[in-house]
Amino acid sequence: MNFHCQCVLVHYIVLIALKDIYVWSQNMTYENNGFHQSSGICQLYTGTICQDFLKNAHVFIDPNVTINDLEERLKAAYGVIKESKDMNSNCRKYALPSLCFSALPICRTPERTNLLYFANVAMITNKYNGNSTRKRRFVSKDTKTMHLFHKKKSVYFNDVFTTDVSSKYPPTRESENLKRICREECELLENELCQKEYAIAKRHPVIGLVGVEDCEKIPQHKDCSTLGITIEVDETEDCYWEDGSSYRGVQNVSSSGKSCLRWSWLMKEISDFPELIGQNYCRNPGSAEKSPWCFVDDRSLDRNIEPCGIPKCVDKIWLSIISILGLTALFVIVIFLMVLFRRKSSRGMKNIQNINTPNAGNNIYGNSQSNTNQDAGGRVILNSSMEHVGMPSKNIEKNGLLRIPHFTLQDVEFFEELGEGAFGKVYKGQLTQTNKKVVNVAIKALKENASVKTQQDFRREIELISDLKHQNIVCILGVILNKEPFCMLFEYMANGDLHEFLISNSPVEKKSLLQLEFLQIAMQISEGMEYLSGHHYVHRDLAARNCLVNEGLIVKISDFGLSRDIYSSDYYRVQSKSLLPVRWMPSESILYGKFTTESDIWSFGVVLWEIYSYGMQPYYGYSNPEVIHLIRSRQLLSCPENCPTAVYSLMIECWHEQAVKRPTFADISHRLKTWYEGHIKISNQTPK
């Protein structure tokens, strides 16, 4: 019998023996130094659920379970995951490979592992039989071949136990040489990309049967089972397009020179933004800002946001184009001057040579005089055209301010102080108009010694609000810009802000408003907001305190910031030094600073709640940090007493978690108007 046939026979006999011993010893354990270790075995994976990841691979099977049992558990667990509506799409694609590699780690050396396992079985058998050697007879006609088999088996076992000191004996999931999930990817899943899903999976009765890897117990190894998680980075990207939401460069320092913090430290829910996982590079998730930014360490605050000062690609391109054009123009000018200089030199030589000729009267002095006059005329024309070119920009600025009537301080009489806004004090006063008519006004004064930027912002606001003309918007009546203090003059609303009006007409004051009056107030605010949103304005601070009430229950939207000190408890610092009205804000504005018409719609829902609650503070009794938690966990305001179900349903629609599913202001105005007209019709039909 040749050597090849001998090897085949040996392996065949070994497989029969190992199979018999494995079936007999499934539930046995090895006792070593006072504790028990469960040992396992490697088998070729022949299932279907993990075929894409484990095809033709030997996988490690723990004791007391078969590969068929694991296959059924995996199918059940993946069925739960596929039907789950809570799993983020960015996390879902890693669920199945994570389960497969967790339940069935790949054996790097399956033959060695199985030999270790059956050696363990043999030792247990010896101990069970009183340390006597259990003999198993193999019948063979070739005694030489059997002798060779026993000799090779002895040498192989000795080689396994003497040379491989890296593995413990017997093999276990923790001790054996297994190819497990890459630890870095496991930690990214558990701590960043699938934080919520990972926590649910560990506690889930079906997924828990399969087993989810404990990332801390996974050894660091370069040869590991990767899930394909990639950190989006482009080291060559040194500028950004549009608002920078697609920027993937490696800038990790803010514009002030502070190091950026890791995103997952401060944004616990980043599953919607896979570009943030495992890094601290400047990004603009969800287009929250106008350019890439990051969190930086600030001792005065828990966290702070700063832009990163990355240049815009368009600016860089234009800078390059301008530089190339400038160099080209400079080169052309140099060539032109050189040619011109040579021509003048040649003319000069000719005139010098001909100075004594009869034609000397037509020399360069006569020509230069005429040229000088022509040049002088050219300069006058050029200067005139420069002034003419400069005029349109000045005219635009003047026209923007001339749209509003201008007054002097002598035309205004200051009365009481109403509060303080972003630019300075706000006063009640009287204005004497050009027709000698005296009207009450609210005066928004710019504080003295304001910086140049503040003055520019003040003028910019005048230009912006000069275009606003609506019966439910507090309109500007005029400005004072000839002498400090600079002022904006607005129509004065006799009954103050809506919040105070609601309180003064509440049951606490032994008064009440009719359902028709509630609807009248809400309808006017919605129509004013419909006008603003139609002109692409975002209010950012819509609340009862920023709506003013005049006689006849006329309500108009304002943003004076009146009596901001009185309403200081309504504002809170979130992620920056700006004070934010978190009780009126949706989660996207609180978390990412994203203000849109949809966030104004959320605020309108809160204003509705204020109206029907007679000016009660939203989430009263809770601190601002607690309010943020309530909003993020979808614990909405409850229905106010005596509030119609239809109106509260409208509030709930305004507070929809997905901004795109909130109603528009046009839809809100239409509904409120329909309800208002219906109430009027019912009132007219009711017998007195």
Side-chain angles (χ1 to χ4, degrees), residues 405-409 411 431-434 477-482 489:
H406 285 242
F407 298 96
T408 65
L409 290 174
D411 299 322
L431 168 67
T432 304
Q433 296 178 321
T434 52
L477 300 179
V479 293
I480 299 174
L481 298 176
N482 65 324
L489 308 175

Side-chain angles (χ1 to χ4, degrees), residues 508-570:
V508 176
E509 299 294 329
K510 298 181 180 180
K511 297 180 181 180
S512 64
L513 294 171
L514 301 173
Q515 289 294 331
L516 196 65
E517 292 173 316
F518 284 136
L519 288 172
Q520 185 179 352
I521 294 169
M523 184 175 62
Q524 292 180 85
I525 297 172
S526 69
E527 289 178 352
M529 289 305 301
E530 182 183 356
Y531 172 83
L532 284 179
S533 62
H535 286 72
H536 308 291
Y537 281 86
V538 177
H539 194 288
R540 291 175 174 244
D541 194 9
L542 181 61
R545 63 181 169 272
N546 285 328
C547 297
L548 302 180
V549 185
N550 211 345
E551 296 173 350
L553 202 58
I554 301 299
V555 182
K556 299 191 178 188
I557 299 168
S558 173
D559 191 15
F560 291 150
L562 293 177
S563 302
R564 184 62 60 87
D565 53 341
I566 297 175
Y567 296 115
S568 59
S569 62
D570 292 343

Side-chain angles (χ1 to χ4, degrees), residues 299-318:
R299 295 181 180 179
S300 62
L301 298 169
D302 291 337
R303 55 182 177 174
N304 198 10
I305 287 175
E306 285 192 9
C308 290
I310 301 169
K312 205 165 186 177
C313 295
V314 174
D315 297 337
K316 289 189 68 176
I317 291 173
W318 277 112

Side-chain angles (χ1 to χ4, degrees), residues 345-407:
S345 298
S346 61
R347 286 178 182 177
M349 289 298 293
K350 182 179 180 180
N351 288 334
I352 291 172
Q353 291 171 359
N354 299 332
I355 194 168
N356 293 322
T357 64
N359 296 326
N362 296 327
N363 58 32
I364 58 172
Y365 294 105
N367 294 337
S368 66
Q369 181 65 34
S370 62
N371 289 338
T372 301
N373 293 335
Q374 186 176 352
D375 289 340
R379 281 196 297 272
V380 171
I381 295 172
L382 184 60
N383 289 338
S384 299
S385 64
M386 286 284 284
E387 290 177 4
H388 180 70
V389 169
M391 283 300 291
S393 62
K394 294 180 181 179
N395 286 336
I396 290 172
E397 182 180 354
K398 288 181 179 179
N399 290 337
L401 294 175
L402 286 175
R403 282 197 296 265
I404 306 172
H406 285 242
F407 298 96

Side-chain angles (χ1 to χ4, degrees), residues 26 46 135 199 208 229 247 295 303 332 467 563 621:
Q26 277 290 308
T46 56
K135 299 180 179 179
I229 300 177
Y247 172 75
F295 291 107
R303 55 182 177 174
V332 171
D467 293 328
S563 302

